[in-house]
């Protein structure tokens, strides 16, 4: 979230999590949560990262940073 905040110069970044579809990994005891959306708030206006900041979204995907799962 901090990386996205820096790259987009945002005031706030929110993750919309699907609480029902979380799973526990077989290798670790951590619970993985599925991210439905990443909302970026800048100057009081919220945008979806994928559509409002597509250049940042594409850059994160190119570097192999998962935007679908978090711990």
């Amino acid at each position: 979230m901090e990386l996205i905040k820096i790259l987009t110069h945002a005031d706030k970044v929110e993750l919309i999590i699907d609480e029902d579809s979380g799973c526990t990994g077989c290798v670790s005891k951590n619970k993985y949560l599925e991210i439905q959306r990443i909302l970026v708030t800048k100057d009081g206006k919220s945008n979806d990262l994928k559509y409002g900041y597509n250049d940042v979204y594409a850059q994160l995907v190119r570097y192999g940073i998962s935007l679908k799962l978090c711990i």
Side-chain angles (χ1 to χ4, degrees):
M1 289 175 59
E2 286 298 317
L3 180 60
I4 293 170
K5 188 174 178 180
I6 291 168
L7 291 173
T8 60
H9 306 287
D11 300 323
K12 183 170 81 169
V13 176
E14 297 176 77
L15 298 179
I16 307 300
I17 304 292
D18 184 2
E19 298 288 339
D20 297 330
S21 69
C23 66
T24 304
C26 59
V27 177
S28 70
K29 295 178 183 177
N30 295 328
K31 182 173 181 175
Y32 294 92
L33 301 173
E34 184 178 341
I35 300 171
Q36 289 181 335
R37 293 182 183 245
I38 301 172
L39 298 178
V40 178
T41 304
K42 184 175 180 179
D43 300 327
K45 186 177 178 182
S46 293
N47 289 306
D48 192 320
L49 177 71
K50 188 173 185 178
Y51 303 109
Y53 298 92
N54 192 264
D55 55 332
V56 173
Y57 178 84
Q59 185 176 10
L60 293 171
V61 170
R62 278 190 202 105
Y63 284 109
I65 297 173
S66 175
L67 300 172
K68 299 289 182 189
L69 296 174
C70 69
I71 296 176

